[in-house]
Amino acid sequence: MSDIEIPESHPRYLSLLTRHRIEEGVEKGITSKQGLIAEGRGEAFDYLLGEETIPSADAAERAAAAQLLLAEHPVLSVNGNVAALVPGEMVELAEAVGADLEVNLFNRTDERIDAIVSHLRDHGADAVKGQTADGRIPNLDHERAKVDADGIGSADVVLVPLEDGDRAEALAAMGKVEIVVDLNPMSRSAQSAAIPIIDNIVRAIPNVTEHARELEGTSREELEAIVEDFDREAALAEAEKAIRGGELA
Ligand code: PTJ
């Protein structure tokens, strides 16, 4: 395990910390090597976004909190990058909204599933789904399609951060309300989501949790109004505009 110290005063502190966590994730057998490439892609978009949560992303994070609180069976999907970057934060969000955590991998191996389950337990999770794999997402090849029947298989609302486009689309096609976290507003995952959150996951998850805590005790009608008022097309357009640095071309 690498043990570099990053001074908090460094202008690119968050970006360096994030890279370091992903690198550690690969060393621990949690994150796939492809996860390093995905991280680089995400960083490029984050740089263009100004490495901040733009107002439309904050609105998406509030709508996501409301949608998760309204859900009957919400599930938070965890892959190798998510486990490396925000393990404790995912556990806290699951607790705040009463959701299940499920390990669901693009490059699935039983070893990585088990490593991520115990990593999440080390960060305070009681129960983590993903090892049973007795359910299937239709229209996807075998390994990528595996889910728990009593987890993602029967969820009504699923949070899928940093997801590959094919699977995000297949989950949406199953009729699940999909909340996606992805720094690329043009990705198929973001485009297929009911609530696309265009923000870095390290900022997004704690902010969804904070909104959920603020919204605790809010009536169903008010929560429904927050979800309805959220405009996904406008949020995607705002993020694209911010990335392009001005007016849409
Ligand atoms: O652990 P596995 O096997 O499930 O594999 C996970 C990865 C991420 C490797 C796999 O799902 C994959 O290849 O994903 P893609 O197709 O590279 O898509 C990842 C998306 O996440 C890209 O659109 C990136 O811009 C985005 N992204 C990367 N890092 C972040 C991010 N979005 C938010 N926060 C980040 N830190």
Side-chain angles (χ1 to χ4, degrees):
M1 195 170 88
S2 48
D3 55 358
I4 51 161
E5 287 272 320
I6 305 162
E8 278 191 48
S9 58
H10 193 289
R12 309 205 49 80
Y13 173 75
L14 190 68
S15 152
L16 292 176
L17 184 75
T18 307
R19 278 187 195 181
H20 181 57
R21 286 191 191 159
I22 290 284
E23 204 186 325
E24 261 187 9
V26 173
E27 283 164 6
K28 285 184 185 162
I30 287 172
T31 309
S32 71
K33 284 187 188 157
Q34 284 186 23
L36 293 165
I37 299 165
E39 167 63 23
R41 185 143 57 142
E43 263 191 38
F45 283 104
D46 205 18
Y47 184 81
L48 294 171
L49 269 173
E51 295 175 338
E52 61 176 12
T53 300
I54 62 173
S56 55
D58 182 58
E61 284 153 11
R62 186 160 182 262
Q67 184 68 85
L68 286 165
L69 288 168
L70 281 166
E72 251 173 54
H73 181 197
V75 176
L76 314 183
S77 182
V78 179
N79 67 15
N81 285 49
V82 175
L85 293 177
V86 285
E89 292 85 347
M90 290 297 280
V91 174
E92 275 188 45
L93 175 58
E95 276 168 14
V97 299
D100 282 337
L101 286 163
E102 177 164 342
V103 181
N104 189 245
L105 301 181
F106 179 75
N107 304 294
R108 187 188 174 98
T109 65
D110 287 343
E111 291 72 27
R112 278 184 66 224
I113 296 266
D114 295 348
I116 295 172
V117 168
S118 47
H119 186 62
L120 291 171
R121 290 220 177 100
D122 290 346
H123 283 84
D126 290 333
V128 183
K129 294 190 189 293
Q131 286 165 311
T132 321
D134 52 351
R136 293 288 176 274
I137 306 169
N139 304 318
L140 265 190
D141 62 52
H142 189 64
E143 288 304 309
R144 290 192 305 157
K146 288 183 176 173
V147 290
D148 280 15
D150 66 350
I152 290 176
S154 56
D156 55 345
V157 177
V158 196
L159 175 91
V160 278
L162 281 62
E163 187 56 87
D164 137 82
D166 275 358
R167 205 166 46 183
E169 281 181 354
L171 279 168
M174 285 174 87
K176 300 186 187 301
V177 175
E178 199 169 61
I179 301 166
V180 162
V181 181
D182 193 321
L183 277 158
N184 177 5
M186 291 154 282
S187 76
R188 277 187 299 141
S189 327
Q191 296 282 336
S192 66
I195 303 180
I197 298 176
I198 312 303
D199 199 2
N200 196 319
I201 190 161
V202 299
R203 297 188 297 269
I205 299 300
N207 199 31
V208 177
T209 305
E210 203 178 311
H211 281 300
R213 289 184 179 142
E214 272 164 26
L215 291 170
E216 222 184 282
T218 305
S219 69
R220 282 195 79 80
E221 290 69 28
E222 278 176 75
L223 292 174
E224 279 161 7
I226 292 169
V227 173
E228 252 165 56
D229 288 349
F230 173 71
D231 184 341
R232 64 180 296 284
E233 304 300 332
L236 289 168
E238 277 305 311
E240 195 175 329
K241 189 170 142 188
I243 285 167
R244 290 180 191 273
E247 293 305 310
L248 284 175

